[in-house]
Amino acid sequence: SWKECSLTVLQADSSDGVPKENSPFINNTDNDKGNSYDGTNMALFEEEMDSNPMVSSLLNKLANYTNLTQGAQEHEEADDDEGPKKKAVKVQQRMGTFMGVYLPCLQNILGVILFLRLTWIVGTAGILESLAIVCLCCSCTMLTAISMSAIATNGVVPAGGSYYMISRSLGPEFGGAVGLCFYLGTTFAGSMYILGTIEILLTYIVPKAAIFVAERKEDEVDALLNNMRVYGTCCLALMSVVVFVGVKYVNKLALVFLACVILSIFAIYAGVIKTIFEPPDFPVCMLGNRTLRNHNFDSCLKTVVIDNVTVTTKLWKLFCDGPELNATCNDYFVQNNVTEVQGIPGLASGVISENLWSEYGPLGMLVENKKLLSLGEGDSAQDIYMPYVVNDITTFFTLLVGIYFPSVTGIMAGSNRSGDLRDAQKSIPIGTILAIATTSFIYVTCVILFGGCIEGVLLRDKFGDAVKGNLVIGTLSWPSPWVIVIGSFFSCCGAGLQSLTGAPRLLQAIARDGIVPFLQVFGHGKANGEPTWALLLTAGICEIGILIASLDAVAPILSMFFLMCYLFVNLACAVQTLLRTPNWRPRFKYYHWALSFLGMSLCLALMFICSWYYAIVAMAIATCIYKYIEYRGAEKEWGDGIRGLSLNAARYALIRLEEAPPHTKNWRPQLLVLLNVDSDQGVKHPRLLSLTTQLKAGKGLTIAGNVLEGTYLTRDAENIKSAMSAERTKGFCHVVVSSNLRDGVSHLIQSAGLGGMKHNTVLMAWPGNWRQSNDQQSWKNFIETVRETTATHHALLVAKNVDSFPTNQERLVEGTIDVWWVVHDGGMLMLLPFLLRQHKVWRKCKMRIFTVAQMDDNSIQMKKDLQVFLYHLRLDAEVEVVEMHDNDISAFTYEKTLVMEQRSQMLKQMQLSRTEREREIQSITDESRSSIRRKNQGAAQSTNLSRQSSTVENTHEDEVLIHDRNTASHAAINDKADAGPDRVHMTWTKDKLFTERNRNREYNANVAVRDMFNMKPNQSNVRRMHTAVKMNEVVVNKSQGAHLVLLNMPGPPRNRGGDENYMEFLEVLLEGLNRVLLVRGGGREVITIYS
């Protein structure tokens, strides 16, 4: 309903005759820092000017925004250092769509594969399958370009291009992984271009420059590869020096190299048109239906007649023992005739119908023309030594896809120059999509025209051996084959230089982002920002590609890395579109998430089509980089789409979790850890977090909670977060600020968590010094927390002596975890030791389970039943049944109970005395106020009395007007009995007051002490103490040497008057034990015997 509404933005203009003020924000200088805002129009906002600047100043800053190219930051800083000596620098002319995006993309897309391999791909795969390969690859890049255009137009893209777009869209982990993959792809592309340069040089320009020359035909492949390695290494070193010395010369030569590419393509089209009227003369010599390598013979004849004498030719000598007519010759040579066919029959010849279908074959397969007559099979063992044209590699469809794909890469060239564009948001989509459309048209037409003009056997001749070593595509061009040879040579040189220029800058951008710590050194370079160290690493990786030496083997490697990069570009666009992130507002509107997903699927399919094992290696490399950045990398918050995806996934999961409570099989302790902090805001018991880590092992929910007394402004959670980090506890921190600790803990237990992801267990430390503490509130808070967890059906874990628990670095070599299962609590006591033993700290500890039998119980049967129960629970533990006989209550227990109750009574008396004093002070205050009130009412007697009291107080300061609580109560009774104006008030001196008070106190104290010594203990308390003493004896006897004792925690008394006795019972129960974990179930089953 709001879509058709137009948006109008109004800006307050304060230029109505008021002098323009100096603005202390955004563009402020040191001179402006002390100035304040003096205006009157905007005085309402003046206190926020530092953080919220005026719109006029903000717009001025945005209008002058500049994209800094790589290395420009250093230049800018150098200029600042020059100060007033700085000369006016000519502003760099920014480029438009054609020069800035279209031509660079064209240069990067068209290259070595077009000139060296496209004819061979058409001949091997046939026109139809070649068109399928071209359409598949071009569709992939077009869909990627659409996604890239959407990302590039979603805000200003600083220099850094594709890496910047991916990392800011998908986050530092994906950004780093894909950025490094893109870097490796660009580096191996440099290897491929250098290998292409050397192949053109040694095969077509100066074949005699080869260092390694094969003596036998079967050694030619190895000799060629060794030559490629030597010359490739020299060429790489030369290019690296050129890039190091002056990258500006590389950029200036880029247009020259591009001109060579365009000129070569025009020469191909001109040659195709010429074949309609006058096909060029490039005969191919055939023996039977087999293609011959035309290097060592001139005429395609077995014999010639010279002066009426039949003489054998050079071709005869290649197949026979000698030049004699009666020499022993190869059987196939004898049986078949030699014929010549035109290598370029022309567009009107109808050869297109013969080249429609594929001709795949194994390594060493002869290149044959099936239309020609062939007699005999020949000897395949001898054929490898004969001058036949053969397959140098095994060919199949997926291999050709991998070799062809690098010819459509280079679509990022425009976005990589985003810093140099006049309007990147307009130029990148138009230029890139037009470049892909242009190159796709060129590739499709070339496939059809090559198939329609060139003979099939010549198409499948990769190195042009059948036409005297000419470049096959060169035979088609006009006016001369040398146009293509020279053009392709310079094209490959230029592309190699561009790769060696771009790859180090990409690595430098990744290093300067700081997301991969071990790459930091590659962020440095020369004074002008040139990446020296990154160039050295790039040259080293490039050398690996050159040592592989085969263009056909290197091409699939870089295909993998580029495809992975394109895959993540599509993923970034799809994620942002589906999440509908508020910041996702691309100016390029012709995108859709379905297109991005199609592009992503196509990239993934092409990776496995090209080479499944290379695809797995590339994905493994990317995964390792991702996990490394996740584990060791710098934390960056770039507002990426993956963070938004995580948020949506979390919201969906939380909603699903809340639909129903978790099943018993899925139950695990989701912990709320109640932490206390000391006066320095340090965590008191960090071992609670260690225990949490050992109990959770990174699974489930952990919330570290803390309550601070005060106001919200005093809230600080950094210390708790640092403690969690030190103990490697994965979870969340929740700090609640409350006026008192009791309410704060209650709020924390009620409000921690969200939706279905709430805690079900509370972990806290035992208040060890509760007896010594003058403040009773500490242990009262503890008991109230126990009550509250019971009421909210949360399980409770209380760790006693938690500071003696093992750290995460300790390893308990041997020992036991003892479980004392007294009452059934839903299985918590069984589950906790199992979870602890999953952690390496407790892994070697054995589990022992003790249960208590009464007089009437059959202890033998109990042990058997418990063993069966544990077997069904799949838990390994020793079982022991401890018998507790009904002994008489000992004098020790009776005395201990009596001491406990006497102590409790004494504390109550002390508390009562404190309360009495507070009431007395309050009474004095109240009566003083009533005296003043009566004075104002004008009662004469009261006035005189008050004045007299005031005089005494002001002059002597040794007598005080005091109305104690007895006087106050008597006055109240008298007021009720007699409503007249005359009231009786008693004025006491200070000495008289203290004497009377002490006399009353001594009497009360004597009565209290006499009562205390005459009191008898409560029978209920005696029985509870008896249980605590007997249980403690049994537990200490069996488990004193255990590493950990888990014990059922008795519930607090329903009558709050017995809270202090409850603490005493627990203290007696745990006496003499080192590490104890008191466990209280949450009222539900947490472990099951069922699958």
Side-chain angles (χ1 to χ4, degrees):
S1 59
W2 295 90
K3 286 183 179 177
E4 297 180 3
C5 298
S6 60
L7 179 66
T8 306
V9 180
L10 300 179
Q11 180 200 341
D13 188 1
S14 58
S15 59
D16 48 354
V18 180
K20 191 171 183 179
E21 301 104 354
N22 291 327
S23 69
F25 37 83
I26 284 200
N27 290 327
N28 62 333
T29 61
D30 292 338
N31 297 330
D32 293 329
K33 284 181 180 176
N35 299 343
S36 61
Y37 185 78
D38 299 328
T40 55
N41 287 352
M42 295 294 150
L44 191 61
F45 302 96
E46 63 184 5
E47 291 186 359
E48 298 180 343
M49 284 296 175
D50 290 335
S51 58
N52 303 333
M54 288 286 293
V55 174
S56 55
S57 176
L58 179 70
L59 293 177
N60 181 49
K61 177 80 171 183
L62 290 177
N64 295 327
Y65 177 83
T66 55
N67 281 333
L68 293 178
T69 54
Q70 291 288 344
Q73 186 71 33
E74 289 81 357
H75 293 307
E76 188 178 61
E77 290 169 359
D79 289 345
D80 290 341
D81 293 339
E82 292 178 16
K85 297 184 291 183
K86 184 169 63 176
K87 297 180 181 178
V89 182
K90 184 179 178 182
V91 179
Q92 181 186 359
Q93 185 67 38
R94 296 193 175 277
M95 292 180 286
T97 303
F98 186 74
M99 290 295 293
V101 181
Y102 181 74
L103 290 183
C105 283
L106 216 60
Q107 180 191 359
N108 277 267
I109 294 172
L110 299 170
V112 60
I113 300 296
L114 170 66
F115 300 120
L116 295 184
R117 293 292 182 269
L118 192 58
T119 52
W120 173 72
I121 289 172
V122 173
T124 306
I127 294 174
L128 296 179
E129 290 187 27
S130 298
L131 285 174
I133 293 172
V134 171
C135 291
L136 199 64
C137 296
C138 290
S139 300
C140 176
T141 54
M142 181 61 84
L143 291 170
T144 304
I146 291 171
S147 298
M148 187 189 73
S149 300
I151 298 172
T153 57
N154 186 49
V156 178
V157 180
S162 54
Y163 162 69
Y164 181 92
M165 289 190 296
I166 295 168
S167 61
R168 268 56 178 181
S169 294
L170 292 178
E173 292 89 359
F174 277 110
V178 179
L180 285 174
C181 283
F182 190 48
Y183 162 74
L184 290 172
T186 309
T187 306
F188 276 105
S191 301
M192 186 186 73
Y193 291 130
I194 291 171
L195 290 174
T197 304
I198 303 306
E199 185 176 311
I200 293 168
L201 181 72
L202 293 180
T203 310
Y204 307 114
I205 299 179
V206 278
K208 293 181 180 178
I211 298 173
F212 300 93
V213 179
E215 297 294 332
R216 299 178 301 171
K217 179 175 177 287
E218 59 268 25
D219 296 333
E220 287 180 354
V221 174
D222 292 334
L224 176 64
L225 294 181
N226 288 330
N227 285 320
M228 300 276 272
R229 291 184 181 107
V230 173
Y231 277 97
T233 303
C234 297
C235 184
L236 173 62
L238 184 63
M239 285 185 175
S240 300
V241 169
V242 170
V243 171
F244 177 77
V245 171
V247 71
K248 57 183 179 181
Y249 302 115
V250 177
N251 292 329
K252 287 179 180 177
L253 288 171
L255 284 176
V256 176
F257 297 139
L258 178 61
C260 292
V261 175
I262 295 173
L263 188 64
S264 301
I265 290 170
F266 278 123
I268 293 168
Y269 282 116
V272 168
I273 294 169
K274 184 175 177 291
T275 61
I276 301 173
F277 314 106
E278 185 185 347
D281 183 28
F282 282 100
V284 176
C285 189
M286 309 291 294
L287 176 61
N289 64 356
R290 300 178 181 180
T291 312
L292 297 178
R293 293 159 53 91
N294 191 355
H295 282 295
N296 300 319
F297 59 90
D298 300 323
S299 57
C300 186
L301 296 168
K302 290 183 181 181
T303 58
V304 292
V305 177
I306 301 175
D307 297 332
N308 294 326
V309 178
T310 301
V311 182
T312 57
T313 61
K314 291 182 179 179
L315 180 61
W316 179 281
K317 295 174 185 175
L318 296 175
F319 285 91
C320 301
D321 292 341
E324 299 83 11
L325 289 171
N326 60 354
T328 305
C329 296
N330 180 271
D331 292 340
Y332 190 84
F333 180 75
V334 173
Q335 294 173 11
N336 291 276
N337 293 323
V338 178
T339 55
E340 270 191 347
V341 297
Q342 270 301 327
I344 314 289
L347 200 59
S349 64
V351 73
I352 189 170
S353 60
E354 300 171 13
N355 293 328
L356 284 175
W357 312 109
S358 60
E359 289 282 348
Y360 300 118
L363 170 68
M365 188 187 82
L366 300 172
V367 176
E368 299 173 337
N369 187 338
K370 302 296 183 183
K371 292 191 306 177
L372 298 179
L373 181 64
S374 174
L375 301 174
E377 292 298 325
D379 186 1
S380 57
Q382 293 295 321
D383 287 343
I384 59 173
Y385 303 107
M386 299 296 115
Y388 296 127
V389 177
V390 296
N391 281 355
D392 64 330
I393 58 172
T394 303
T395 55
F396 41 90
F397 178 79
T398 56
L399 173 79
L400 299 186
V401 175
I403 292 173
Y404 173 76
F405 188 80
S407 65
V408 296
T409 60
I411 62 172
M412 300 284 190
S415 64
N416 288 342
R417 295 175 176 230
S418 55
D420 301 325
L421 299 175
R422 194 180 301 123
D423 184 0
Q425 296 195 19
K426 177 184 176 185
S427 298
I428 289 176
I430 296 173
T432 306
I433 291 172
L434 276 180
I436 292 174
T438 305
T439 52
S440 299
F441 172 78
I442 291 171
Y443 284 132
V444 169
T445 52
C446 281
V447 166
I448 296 170
L449 295 176
F450 291 165
C453 295
I454 304 174
E455 179 63 42
V457 290
L458 184 56
L459 282 174
R460 296 197 296 280
D461 184 4
K462 185 185 288 186
F463 300 107
D465 292 321
V467 285
K468 296 188 180 296
N470 275 304
L471 182 61
V472 175
I473 198 172
T475 60
L476 184 63
S477 66
W478 179 87
S480 166
W482 284 102
V483 175
I484 295 285
V485 171
I486 301 299
S488 59
F489 178 78
F490 282 115
S491 167
C492 292
C493 276
L497 283 171
Q498 290 286 351
S499 296
L500 287 177
T501 306
R505 277 159 180 71
L506 180 60
L507 182 62
Q508 188 182 44
I510 298 170
R512 285 184 173 173
D513 259 347
I515 57 174
V516 186
F518 71 82
L519 292 180
Q520 297 276 0
V521 65
F522 299 109
H524 308 297
K526 292 195 291 186
N528 62 350
E530 292 299 322
T532 310
W533 294 107
L535 177 62
L536 285 174
L537 180 66
T538 303
I541 297 173
C542 206
E543 177 64 17
I544 296 173
I546 286 168
L547 291 177
I548 294 174
S550 170
L551 188 71
D552 302 322
V554 173
I557 296 175
L558 66 103
S559 295
M560 289 304 116
F561 292 120
F562 277 121
L563 277 167
M564 184 162 287
C565 179
Y566 296 165
L567 183 149
F568 281 103
V569 170
N570 285 300
L571 176 64
C573 181
V575 166
Q576 298 274 31
T577 308
L578 286 174
L579 288 179
R580 298 183 181 179
T581 314
N583 190 52
W584 181 247
R585 302 184 298 274
R587 290 204 171 279
F588 180 78
K589 301 297 181 185
Y590 307 102
Y591 69 93
H592 193 270
W593 65 266
L595 291 177
S596 300
F597 265 117
L598 181 61
M600 188 176 70
S601 306
L602 207 52
C603 288
L604 191 63
L606 281 172
M607 284 178 71
F608 283 93
I609 286 173
C610 294
S611 173
W612 63 268
Y613 46 90
Y614 278 157
I616 291 172
V617 170
M619 292 171 79
I621 291 172
T623 303
C624 290
I625 297 168
Y626 178 94
K627 297 305 290 183
Y628 175 79
I629 295 172
E630 186 180 55
Y631 179 65
R632 292 291 305 275
E635 291 186 9
K636 300 282 183 181
E637 178 51 70
W638 288 330
D640 51 86
I642 294 298
R643 185 62 61 89
L645 187 64
S646 302
L647 191 62
N648 269 4
R651 182 185 64 85
Y652 174 76
L654 284 171
I655 292 171
R656 287 290 306 274
L657 276 175
E658 208 170 18
E659 290 175 359
H663 192 271
T664 303
K665 289 186 288 187
N666 297 327
W667 196 96
R668 66 167 61 245
Q670 317 288 6
L671 289 178
L672 169 62
V673 187
L674 298 181
L675 298 173
N676 292 326
V677 293
D678 53 27
S679 56
D680 298 328
Q681 295 300 307
V683 176
K684 275 187 180 177
H685 302 294
R687 294 289 174 86
L688 272 178
L689 295 172
S690 302
L691 178 61
T692 304
T693 305
Q694 294 155 23
L695 193 60
K696 305 288 290 180
K699 306 292 190 300
L701 174 71
T702 301
I703 303 173
N706 176 234
V707 178
L708 297 178
E709 285 191 277
T711 63
Y712 188 75
L713 298 177
T714 61
R715 181 176 182 270
D716 182 20
E718 291 305 317
N719 291 328
I720 294 177
K721 288 181 180 176
S722 60
M724 291 177 71
S725 177
E727 299 295 337
R728 294 185 179 178
T729 304
K730 295 180 180 179
F732 307 98
C733 178
H734 192 168
V735 176
V736 169
V737 183
S738 178
S739 57
N740 62 76
L741 290 175
R742 177 70 220 103
D743 291 345
V745 171
S746 177
H747 297 158
L748 195 57
I749 292 174
Q750 292 176 60
S751 64
L754 178 66
M757 202 65 175
K758 293 179 77 73
H759 60 279
N760 55 28
T761 307
V762 177
L763 172 62
M764 60 193 300
W766 171 261
N769 59 345
W770 68 274
R771 281 175 173 165
Q772 291 76 29
S773 175
N774 293 326
D775 183 15
Q776 298 185 20
Q777 206 57 42
S778 61
W779 58 265
K780 285 187 176 180
N781 286 346
F782 172 80
I783 296 175
E784 288 301 317
T785 304
V786 176
R787 284 197 176 99
E788 193 149 326
T789 53
T790 305
T792 53
H793 300 292
H794 288 138
L796 178 65
L797 308 178
V798 179
K800 190 189 179 205
N801 298 330
V802 69
D803 292 328
S804 68
F805 275 58
T807 63
N808 292 328
Q809 286 72 39
E810 291 182 42
R811 301 291 180 271
L812 301 177
V813 179
E814 58 184 14
T816 61
I817 300 174
D818 286 0
V819 177
W820 284 86
W821 193 22
V822 181
V823 294
H824 182 55
D825 57 353
M828 277 284 287
L829 284 169
M830 306 293 177
L831 185 62
L832 292 175
F834 169 76
L835 295 174
L836 280 174
R837 290 178 65 211
Q838 304 302 304
H839 196 274
K840 49 195 172 185
V841 173
W842 303 91
R843 190 164 292 157
K844 294 186 179 180
C845 293
K846 293 181 180 179
M847 180 175 163
R848 295 194 303 180
I849 296 183
F850 297 89
T851 188
V852 178
Q854 300 299 321
M855 279 292 292
D856 299 334
D857 297 328
N858 184 344
S859 57
I860 298 173
Q861 187 61 38
M862 278 180 68
K863 184 172 183 178
K864 288 181 180 178
D865 293 343
L866 184 54
Q867 286 173 337
V868 171
F869 181 55
L870 290 176
Y871 176 78
H872 287 309
L873 287 176
R874 291 91 62 203
L875 294 175
D876 296 324
E878 295 178 17
V879 174
E880 189 170 340
V881 177
V882 179
E883 295 182 351
M884 285 185 67
H885 302 292
D886 287 339
N887 296 334
D888 294 332
I889 296 173
S890 65
F892 171 75
T893 304
Y894 194 87
E895 183 183 347
K896 204 167 184 64
T897 310
L898 184 60
V899 171
M900 176 189 75
E901 292 191 355
Q902 287 174 352
R903 181 178 180 276
S904 178
Q905 192 68 26
M906 286 177 65
L907 287 172
K908 283 178 182 175
Q909 288 294 333
M910 291 169 61
Q911 182 68 21
L912 190 62
S913 302
R914 193 179 300 120
T915 309
E916 291 284 341
R917 288 198 296 273
E918 290 171 359
R919 286 179 181 172
E920 202 168 74
I921 294 167
Q922 184 64 36
S923 173
I924 293 167
T925 309
D926 293 343
E927 288 301 322
S928 298
R929 286 175 182 164
S930 65
S931 298
I932 295 168
R933 256 199 321 274
R934 284 194 293 274
K935 174 185 172 184
N936 292 336
Q937 291 170 357
Q941 187 177 356
S942 299
T943 304
N944 293 335
L945 183 57
S946 298
R947 189 178 292 126
Q948 180 185 353
S949 302
S950 178
T951 305
V952 172
E953 191 175 63
N954 291 335
T955 55
H956 305 291
E957 295 184 2
D958 62 343
E959 289 186 0
V960 186
L961 177 64
I962 295 177
H963 306 282
D964 66 1
R965 60 191 179 92
N966 296 327
T967 308
S969 60
H970 286 310
I973 295 168
N974 292 334
D975 286 347
K976 290 177 183 176
D978 183 15
D982 295 329
R983 300 182 186 182
V984 179
H985 295 277
M986 296 175 64
T987 304
W988 285 8
T989 62
K990 187 187 292 183
D991 295 337
K992 189 187 266 188
L993 168 73
F994 287 151
T995 304
E996 182 66 21
R997 183 189 295 163
N998 291 335
R999 188 168 60 81
N1000 290 335
R1001 278 185 187 164
E1002 286 172 9
Y1003 173 76
N1004 292 335
N1006 290 333
V1007 171
V1009 170
R1010 190 165 61 249
D1011 291 346
M1012 210 181 300
F1013 282 107
N1014 293 332
M1015 69 187 293
K1016 291 184 179 180
N1018 184 296
Q1019 286 303 311
S1020 175
N1021 287 342
V1022 172
R1023 285 189 292 104
R1024 287 187 172 88
M1025 181 64 77
H1026 176 69
T1027 304
V1029 170
K1030 296 300 292 181
M1031 274 296 299
N1032 177 258
E1033 287 177 3
V1034 173
V1035 173
V1036 170
N1037 182 39
K1038 295 286 186 181
S1039 302
Q1040 193 166 21
H1043 285 311
L1044 180 63
V1045 176
L1046 283 86
L1047 189 64
N1048 283 115
M1049 182 179 185
R1054 293 174 185 171
N1055 179 15
R1056 294 178 190 273
D1059 283 358
E1060 189 180 0
N1061 298 339
Y1062 173 69
M1063 295 295 289
E1064 285 285 356
F1065 296 146
L1066 291 182
E1067 196 72 64
V1068 170
L1069 181 63
L1070 305 179
E1071 195 173 351
L1073 297 172
N1074 184 20
R1075 297 179 190 144
V1076 184
L1077 196 60
L1078 288 171
V1079 180
R1080 188 160 172 74
R1084 62 160 295 165
E1085 294 293 328
V1086 300
I1087 195 166
T1088 178
I1089 63 174
Y1090 299 106
S1091 61

